[in-house]
């Protein structure tokens, strides 16, 4: 009798499921909410991929994909999302409707996910989007609800999302606290741009050493630079405006260092609160800085931005009314040349220097 041996094969081990990679475009809300977003997704156990820093190729790609009426920052967003294709399983694209009670954001923020989907339908090459709504005009409609919804779409439990949000809220509070203490925003944000996890078992990373904080002697000129964070702190779209000022020995302050309470006080004389939450922050922050010890104010506006056109006009009127603070409006789009910006900037800095010399001479004569 022929005996056939039968080998019992063990079933293959189940492959360990790879954690999802969440892409975050380095544009728009990135400059205000990166700590919240990255800490949340990494606390869930996801990996996070950031899009590359803005460059000419990425700009051209965004300009080709976006509608003509879009402002430069929105056009850049298209390019950043597409740059994450093949690098992320989902690109986090929140529909930010309202982040403060009784306010809205720019309509383009509200329609951003749909605009990206429309571009993908025509062009292709865009990664899948992870879309949630942020709307504080609805009960409980803030970031916690939105991020919990994002976690549920990624098949994480509500309990896990709740714990992850606690970590994320702590990260965001620390980031905002650093800004209010006067830390230079790109430095405060840099710790969240590093690859890999930014959290440690004991909590957040140690605080940055004091050498990363800008020394303040009180002697250097102080110029306030107002504008949307995504316009100011992207070196490519701002043409390194802040670094150009700092290289000339100027201390730069921005509305991000002004508390919400101070912005409310600065705009309390207006007939009504501004309709746009980001516009309210810029207007209130600018008016507060105009009353402080500054030598000039530069307002950076995006061409085609409706809120910028209104807020910039209001800030300029208040600067003229005060009469003692030089004011410069810089309007930027994809056609703006760096040479023209540098020329206007140098003329403005010279004006500030002459006014300081005149004031110091007058003070010395009185003494």
């Amino acid at each position: 009798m022929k005996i056939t041996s039968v080998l019992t094969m063990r079933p293959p081990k189940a492959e360990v499921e790879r954690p999802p990679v969440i892409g975050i475009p380095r544009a728009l809300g990135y400059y205000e909410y990166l700590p919240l977003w990255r800490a949340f997704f990494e606390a869930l156990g996801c990996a996070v991929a950031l899009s590359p820093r803005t460059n000419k190729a990425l700009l051209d790609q965004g300009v080709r994909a976006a509608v003509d009426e879009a402002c430069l920052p929105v056009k850049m967003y298209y390019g950043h999302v597409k740059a994450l294709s093949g690098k992320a399983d989902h690109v986090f694209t929140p529909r930010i409707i309202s982040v403060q009670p009784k306010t809205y954001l720019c309509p383009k923020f509200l329609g951003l996910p749909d605009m990206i989907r429309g571009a993908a339908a025509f062009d292709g090459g865009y990664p899948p989007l992870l879309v949630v709504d942020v709307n504080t005009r609805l009960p409980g409609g803030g970031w916690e609800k939105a991020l919990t919804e994002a976690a549920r779409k990624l098949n994480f439990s509500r309990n896990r999302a709740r714990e992850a949000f606690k970590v994320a809220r702590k990260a965001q509070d620390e980031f905002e606290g650093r800004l209010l203490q006067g830390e230079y925003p790109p430095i405060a944000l840099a710790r969240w741009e590093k690859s890999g996890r930014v959290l440690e078992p004991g909590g957040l990373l140690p605080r940055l050493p004091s050498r990363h904080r800008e020394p303040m002697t009180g002697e250097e000129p102080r110029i306030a630079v107002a504008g949307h964070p995504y316009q100011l702190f992207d070196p490519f779209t701002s043409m390194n405006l802040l670094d150009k000022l700092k290289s000339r020995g100027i201390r730069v302050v921005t509305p991000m260092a002004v508390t919400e309470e101070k912005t409310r006080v600065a705009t309390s004389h207006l007939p009504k609160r501004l309709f746009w939450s980001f516009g309210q922050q810029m207007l209130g922050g600018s008016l507060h800085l105009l009353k402080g010890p500054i030598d000039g104010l530069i307002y950076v506006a995006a061409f085609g931005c409706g809120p910028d056109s209104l807020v910039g006009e209001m800030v300029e009127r208040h600067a003229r009314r005060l009469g003692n603070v030089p004011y410069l409006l810089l309007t930027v789009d994809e056609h703006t040349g760096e040479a023209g910006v540098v020329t206007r900037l140098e003329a403005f800095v010279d004006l500030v220097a002459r006014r300081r010399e005149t004031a110091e001479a007058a003070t010395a004569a009185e003494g």
Side-chain angles (χ1 to χ4, degrees), residues 258-324:
V258 180
T259 65
E260 186 176 346
E261 175 62 26
K262 289 179 179 178
T263 64
R264 282 200 298 267
V265 171
T267 56
S268 59
H269 64 284
L270 299 177
K272 58 184 290 188
R273 181 184 173 89
L274 264 191
F275 192 66
W276 307 287
S277 53
F278 286 177
Q280 169 68 18
Q281 179 187 14
M282 287 193 300
L283 177 61
S286 299
L287 298 189
H288 174 79
L289 293 172
L290 280 172
K291 298 177 182 179
I294 62 171
D295 298 289
L297 188 146
I298 300 173
Y299 191 97
V300 182
F303 179 78
C305 176
D308 267 357
S309 62
L310 174 62
V311 175
E313 175 69 18
M314 296 177 71
V315 173
E316 182 175 7
R317 289 186 180 187
H318 280 81
R320 288 179 176 175
R321 197 170 300 161
L322 291 173
N324 60 344

Side-chain angles (χ1 to χ4, degrees), residues 289-356:
L289 293 172
L290 280 172
K291 298 177 182 179
I294 62 171
D295 298 289
L297 188 146
I298 300 173
Y299 191 97
V300 182
F303 179 78
C305 176
D308 267 357
S309 62
L310 174 62
V311 175
E313 175 69 18
M314 296 177 71
V315 173
E316 182 175 7
R317 289 186 180 187
H318 280 81
R320 288 179 176 175
R321 197 170 300 161
L322 291 173
N324 60 344
V325 179
Y327 176 86
L328 173 65
L329 172 65
L330 291 176
T331 304
V332 180
D333 66 4
E334 62 269 26
H335 305 296
T336 303
E338 185 171 2
V341 171
V342 170
T343 299
R344 296 185 65 193
L345 190 62
E346 289 178 346
F348 184 76
V349 171
D350 288 344
L351 171 63
V352 168
R354 290 197 303 271
R355 289 175 65 94
R356 281 176 61 91

Side-chain angles (χ1 to χ4, degrees), residues 21 53 60 69 97 104 170 192 204 218-219 240-241 255 259 271 289 293 322 355:
V21 179
R53 297 188 184 278
D60 292 342
E69 294 77 12
I97 301 169
Y104 278 108
K170 183 178 179 181
W192 301 101
L204 298 179
E219 299 177 356
N240 282 310
L241 172 65
T259 65
L289 293 172
L322 291 173
R355 289 175 65 94

Side-chain angles (χ1 to χ4, degrees), residues 10 41-42 54 65 93 103 108 126 143 188 197-198 208 216 220 229 245-246 248 265 287 291 304 309 358 360:
R10 293 183 178 180
F41 288 116
E42 293 196 343
T54 307
T93 314
T103 63
K108 293 184 177 67
Y126 286 83
W143 279 111
R197 295 180 63 82
V198 296
L208 288 174
M216 185 174 178
E220 65 275 0
L245 290 171
K246 288 163 65 68
R248 289 165 170 78
V265 171
L287 298 189
K291 298 177 182 179
S309 62
T358 301
E360 290 170 0

